[in-house]
Amino acid sequence: MNQNLFASFNIPAILGIPLVILIIMLPATFITPTNNLINNRFSSLQQWLIQLMLKQMMITHSTKGRTWSLMLMALITFIALNNLLGLTPYAFTPTTQLSMNLGMAIPLWAATVLMGLRFKTKLALAHFLPQGTPVPLIPMLIIIETISLFIQPVALAVRLTANITAGHLLMHLLGDTTLTLMSIYLSSSTITIIIIILLITLELGVALIQAYVFTLLVSLYLHDNS
Amino acid sequence: MLSRVVLSAAATAAPSLKNAAFLGPGVLQATRTFHTEQPHLAPVPPLPEYGGKVRHGLIPEEFFQYLYPKTGVTGPYVLGTGLILYALSKEIYVITGETITGLAVIGLYIFGVKKFGPSVAAFADKLNEQKLAQLEEAKQASIKQIQDAVDMEKAQQALVQKRHYLFDVQRNNIALALEVTYRERLHRVYKEVKNRLDYHISVQNMMRRKEQEHMINWVEKHVVQSISAQQEKETIAKCIADLKLLAKKAQAQPVM
């Protein structure tokens, strides 16, 4: 057993040199751009996936919003690959670190807000007041909307961190449980193994979905403010 | 660097060349030519169609071939087993909770690959095939279009060869029309002339008839005038006598 349950979330270091940069750069090595028309199966599938995500996500945006396509596609690919690679045993997942998620969320969210304030000031400010509110409620509602606006980046980052961290924690816990139960009561450890398998399936889904949700919300903020 | 050695050797051999040693590298660089061969990026070497063969999805086949002469078929497996057991028994690899999770992940992954691998591969192949089919279709459509144009051109040329039939028919038609018009006009002329001549003839006939009638009337009138009253009485009495005689003859005859 590790020192504590959270040891796997420590930043890996060799002799004090943090390796986290290399770990963050690793998923990029799996995306292989080519100039050929006909590629091997791996590249063809990657191309098809990115085209699918692109069409699905950028179709609702205007021309100005579509200038963000590269950013958003890179974002979703990065987060999805990081999450998926974190499922392998003994892997470190960068997206479990709040620092990284905040570093992704705050600039993107701020960019959308500033863009909206700069180009469509009235429309962006009008988002603070939903239509059809009774007049006495207006001051309170504006305060609430402002708070909800400023919570958006924090929510983005914390959502991602919490989901991935929770999943990893559960997997570690169940693994330890199974190991301990194997010497005590074998059949219940088979039950825990089955639970682990189900959990891994869930984790796969969560990994992809969280990436999708992150990117979708950023694109939503963009759509509001483009 | 070799050039400096050569030039320094030449300097010792021929003292007049000693000062040339400073020019050595420059001379060499000046005489080195670039771009004498083709650039090696073209022709692009073809990509291999299939990847290298691996056993158990991880270990290249070449490793097994490498160990085969010394250890036979089971060599690599014995090596792998030994390494694993060594790592486990010496606690170089510690079995923790992570091991269980790792085994579960790897097991799930292998299950996924075995189950969905072929269909995903077929899907990827289909993607490529669709791209090629699109281009092939465009090419075939273009070829067909050009072929159709060529065929139409040939047909047009063949038709042009047969154009003279059309011209002959048209020429004949025009000749017939001209002939018909000529004959028609001729006939009309004939009719007009005949009309005029008939007029003169009928005028003449009429004149003659009128003269005849006039003459007859004149003759009758004079004859009637010339018959005096005495002659008329005598003639009438003779006629009555002749009639009586005839009546008698007529009566006599039916009795017989």
Side-chain angles (χ1 to χ4, degrees), chain A residues 18-31 78 81-82 85 92 94 100:
Chain A
L19 296 170
V20 69
I21 300 280
L22 289 174
I23 294 173
I24 291 180
M25 293 200 297
L26 180 69
T29 58
F30 291 130
I31 308 288
F78 176 65
L81 274 179
N82 269 320
L85 282 173
F92 170 73
M100 178 173 125

Side-chain angles (χ1 to χ4, degrees), chain A:
Chain A
M1 197 155 176
N2 292 322
Q3 301 103 307
N4 60 22
L5 205 49
F6 294 94
S8 60
F9 297 117
N10 288 338
I11 304 227
I14 287 185
L15 300 175
I17 304 171
L19 296 170
V20 69
I21 300 280
L22 289 174
I23 294 173
I24 291 180
M25 293 200 297
L26 180 69
T29 58
F30 291 130
I31 308 288
T32 48
T34 67
N35 291 329
N36 300 331
L37 178 67
I38 309 290
N39 308 311
N40 55 1
R41 289 170 178 167
F42 198 46
S43 294
S44 305
L45 283 172
Q46 282 172 14
Q47 249 182 8
W48 170 76
L49 268 172
I50 292 184
Q51 261 187 350
L52 185 72
M53 294 190 298
L54 187 69
K55 273 196 203 141
Q56 217 270 314
M57 220 167 263
M58 305 310 292
I59 213 163
T60 54
H61 287 100
S62 59
T63 310
K64 196 137 186 288
R66 284 188 194 160
T67 54
W68 280 58
S69 310
L70 182 60
M71 179 73 224
L72 291 175
M73 285 305 111
L75 191 68
I76 188 171
T77 314
F78 176 65
I79 299 178
L81 274 179
N82 269 320
N83 293 344
L84 284 172
L85 282 173
L87 288 172
T88 51
Y90 301 103
F92 170 73
T93 324
T95 41
T96 53
Q97 309 298 313
L98 186 63
S99 49
M100 178 173 125
N101 294 340
L102 274 174
M104 285 196 296
I106 292 187
L108 290 169
W109 164 84
T112 61
V113 167
L114 288 174
M115 240 174 72
L117 283 177
R118 187 174 155 198
F119 295 119
K120 295 187 183 172
T121 318
K122 253 195 278 182
L123 201 66
L125 288 173
H127 277 128
F128 284 130
L129 196 65
Q131 268 187 344
T133 54
V135 176
L137 281 174
I138 289 181
M140 207 177 61
L141 207 60
I142 292 197
I143 294 177
I144 290 177
E145 288 283 334
T146 314
I147 294 175
S148 90
L149 179 74
F150 281 101
I151 249 186
Q152 277 176 352
V154 180
L156 269 177
V158 170
R159 184 186 300 114
L160 187 57
T161 315
N163 268 302
I164 308 296
T165 316
H168 283 268
L169 265 178
L170 260 178
M171 286 212 301
H172 287 313
L173 272 171
L174 281 170
D176 282 337
T177 314
T178 316
L179 190 61
T180 325
L181 279 176
M182 265 192 342
S183 44
I184 300 171
Y185 190 26
L186 193 62
S187 49
S188 70
S189 78
T190 44
I191 293 178
T192 27
I193 286 244
I194 293 173
I195 294 180
I196 288 182
I197 291 179
L198 292 173
L199 193 65
I200 292 170
T201 323
L202 179 67
E203 280 305 302
L204 282 169
V206 167
L208 297 168
I209 289 171
Q210 285 305 314
Y212 175 63
V213 165
F214 196 102
T215 316
L216 190 68
L217 282 173
V218 171
S219 97
L220 202 69
Y221 301 151
L222 180 68
H223 189 68
D224 285 341
N225 293 325
S226 78

Side-chain angles (χ1 to χ4, degrees), chain A residues 37-38 44 48 51 55, chain B residues 122-138:
Chain A
L37 178 67
I38 309 290
S44 305
W48 170 76
Q51 261 187 350
K55 273 196 203 141
Chain B
F123 179 70
D125 287 339
K126 196 163 70 98
L127 285 175
N128 283 342
E129 214 175 304
Q130 270 173 355
K131 273 193 219 171
L132 279 176
Q134 255 183 350
L135 294 173
E136 187 71 29
E137 194 188 305

Side-chain angles (χ1 to χ4, degrees), chain B residues 217-256:
Chain B
N217 285 343
W218 188 82
V219 163
E220 272 183 8
K221 198 171 76 181
H222 278 280
V223 164
V224 164
Q225 271 178 0
S226 71
I227 300 176
S228 60
Q230 178 67 29
Q231 271 183 319
E232 201 169 342
K233 267 191 195 156
E234 281 179 13
T235 318
I236 290 175
K238 185 147 194 299
C239 286
I240 290 172
D242 279 337
L243 275 170
K244 277 187 186 163
L245 202 64
L246 274 171
K248 268 192 197 162
K249 270 195 189 162
Q251 261 182 352
Q253 286 229 312
V255 171
M256 283 172 70

